[in-house]
Amino acid sequence: KVIPVFGVDATDTAKELIASGRMVGTIKQDAVGMADAIATISNNLLTGADTFANLNTNYEVVDGWKVAIPYAVYTGE
């Protein structure tokens, strides 16, 4: 019986395990997206704009205080 194993963050170890067939997949966080959201929010706070103005439309403001940024799929780079 095979148990599919998935990971988070697309670490080098996970990539090696996927390549060898010992792991099914992994998801990687969007570091560029996170940096973009932080820079946009920081700029908004410094300039007096609405906190979440001008955010990338792929991001979701949740409960009016946090931003959800979609994960990226690891494609076997």
Side-chain angles (χ1 to χ4, degrees):
K1 184 173 178 178
V2 175
I3 299 172
V5 176
F6 292 84
V8 177
D9 287 343
T11 62
D12 290 337
T13 301
K15 292 175 185 178
E16 292 168 10
L17 290 169
I18 292 167
S20 71
R22 296 176 49 211
M23 189 168 157
V24 175
T26 186
I27 301 295
K28 61 182 176 178
Q29 294 184 42
D30 184 355
V32 172
M34 286 185 244
D36 175 58
I38 291 167
T40 300
I41 292 168
S42 297
N43 186 62
N44 289 342
L45 293 172
L46 289 170
T47 62
D50 178 67
T51 303
F52 301 111
N54 304 310
L55 280 177
N56 183 308
T57 57
N58 291 328
Y59 310 158
E60 177 185 0
V61 177
V62 180
D63 297 329
W65 68 274
K66 61 183 174 181
V67 178
I69 299 168
Y71 286 95
V73 176
Y74 171 70
T75 59
E77 303 170 340

